[in-house]
Amino acid sequence: MALSKNARKVLKVLARRGAPEVLFALSRGASRFSDLESLLILSPRTLAERLREFHLLGFVERRAYPEVPPRVEYTLTPRGKRVLDFLRGLEEVLEAKQEGVT
């Protein structure tokens, strides 16, 4: 059985620089761009690209508040949380395999 086009697209995005780190950072709750920028070691351009990609995939909600100065917060959607759970499960599987090898 081959992976669907959508599954390949998601895996391609998740393999990009900083993608898993952004999801794990957002698992802490709603975050502003500057909060994520200080937490992660990513360039502003890379962080913006990952957030845009995750928003388009439906993993991240972008909420802009009509304030001065403008405020934008990012949160994981239920779909994003499921992807994060998948990544955690993958990590557990890989750790269990390593323990069995030694």
Side-chain angles (χ1 to χ4, degrees):
M1 179 174 137
L3 289 175
S4 69
K5 184 177 178 181
N6 285 338
R8 287 193 308 271
K9 181 179 179 179
V10 168
L11 289 173
K12 192 174 186 179
V13 170
L14 290 174
R16 292 189 178 139
R17 183 167 186 257
E21 290 83 358
V22 171
L23 289 177
F24 281 105
L26 288 171
S27 71
R28 299 169 47 178
S31 299
R32 296 175 74 172
F33 187 90
S34 59
D35 298 334
L36 293 170
E37 194 175 21
S38 64
L39 186 65
L40 302 169
I41 305 173
L42 293 174
S43 71
R45 178 181 175 183
T46 302
L47 178 57
E49 286 175 359
R50 293 305 87 82
L51 288 169
R52 190 176 313 111
E53 290 167 338
F54 288 148
H55 178 70
L56 291 173
L57 288 170
F59 298 164
V60 171
E61 179 184 355
R62 180 185 187 274
R63 180 172 288 154
Y65 295 90
E67 300 174 353
V68 177
R71 178 171 57 115
V72 177
E73 289 184 347
Y74 297 91
T75 55
L76 283 178
T77 63
R79 186 176 185 186
K81 289 176 185 175
R82 288 190 5 230
V83 169
L84 190 59
D85 289 341
F86 166 77
L87 290 176
R88 287 183 176 137
L90 178 62
E91 190 172 45
E92 288 175 15
V93 167
L94 295 174
E95 285 177 3
K97 181 167 171 73
Q98 256 185 335
E99 290 172 3
V101 171
T102 57

